[in-house]
Amino acid sequence: METLCRILLIEDDAAVAEAIRLALRGIADVETFADPGTLPVPLTLGLYDAALLDMNFRPDQRDGNAGLDAIDRLRAVDPTLAIVMLTVFGGVAIAVEALKRGASDFLLKPWRNDRLVEAIRAAVALTARQRAGAAMSLDSRCASSTAGSCVQPASITCGSVSSCRFSAALIAGCAWPKRLTHHELVASM
């Protein structure tokens, strides 16, 4: 049985959130929040494999600024997390700004389910590649630093196999149990 990826969905419309959950059934475990302000603080590194984010969170909002601010907040907590933007009020300027701030894809409502699934799978793969790269970067920094100078987080909660491996590498700090090639690391995710 394939492990479900873990998706963070920030969407204020309950019907839209349920439609997304149904479209991703069997592919992803979707955790939904109606507003970025309701996210747990602190948001745990590595908990999600990708994020799907609405641009506006109140009926009177149409400028996308709340979604852009949410991108900034998510990227500050986990710069490796791929973010897919979703909005009914899409335009070139807002899409470009979302991509500049770190979104990896941009979908318009209403969406086609096959396109949504494709975007989520691509985002999960991107997150895994970025986390593998971050882990390899941490490994090379630790290998060149003096013993004990690497920051080792006390605990990290993870939501999937790939993020658990990434978290285990971070917790291990400089003492990785086995040196993996990039190919082995990506293949193991």
Side-chain angles (χ1 to χ4, degrees):
M1 183 170 93
E2 186 178 323
T3 304
L4 297 179
C5 56
R6 193 122 190 247
I7 304 300
L8 169 64
L9 171 62
I10 306 176
E11 169 61 60
D12 61 312
D13 186 324
V16 170
E18 183 60 22
I20 290 169
R21 184 182 310 279
L22 290 172
L24 297 177
R25 184 181 50 221
I27 297 166
D29 176 27
V30 180
E31 186 169 358
T32 305
F33 294 89
D35 185 284
T38 62
L39 289 172
V41 176
L43 187 62
T44 307
L45 173 72
L47 185 60
Y48 302 102
D49 298 302
L52 184 58
L53 179 61
D54 191 10
M55 294 293 295
N56 300 296
F57 304 102
R58 291 191 330 253
D60 62 326
Q61 290 179 331
R62 291 201 169 115
D63 60 9
N65 286 332
L68 295 173
D69 292 343
I71 293 173
D72 295 341
R73 181 174 172 203
L74 291 173
R75 300 291 294 166
V77 172
D78 185 354
T80 64
L81 182 68
I83 302 169
V84 177
M85 301 307 295
L86 184 67
T87 188
V88 71
F89 302 107
V92 173
I94 196 73
V96 168
E97 185 60 27
L99 295 172
K100 282 182 180 178
R101 291 194 187 197
S104 60
D105 205 343
F106 195 92
L107 300 175
L108 292 176
K109 297 176 190 174
W111 64 88
R112 290 186 358 242
N113 284 344
D114 62 332
R115 178 65 183 105
L116 175 66
V117 169
E118 176 186 310
I120 291 299
R121 285 188 171 147
V124 168
L126 178 59
T127 297
R129 286 192 311 272
Q130 291 180 151
R131 288 182 177 161
M136 289 180 9
S137 176
L138 176 66
D139 185 38
S140 66
R141 281 196 310 262
C142 288
S144 65
S145 67
T146 58
S149 65
C150 295
V151 176
Q152 297 183 10
S155 67
I156 297 176
T157 305
C158 52
S160 71
V161 173
S162 63
S163 61
C164 284
R165 286 193 180 109
F166 175 69
S167 299
L170 285 175
I171 291 168
C174 297
W176 286 43
K178 176 186 175 203
R179 297 262 184 215
L180 298 175
T181 66
H182 175 72
H183 177 72
E184 291 171 323
L185 186 61
V186 171
S188 70
M189 292 184 180

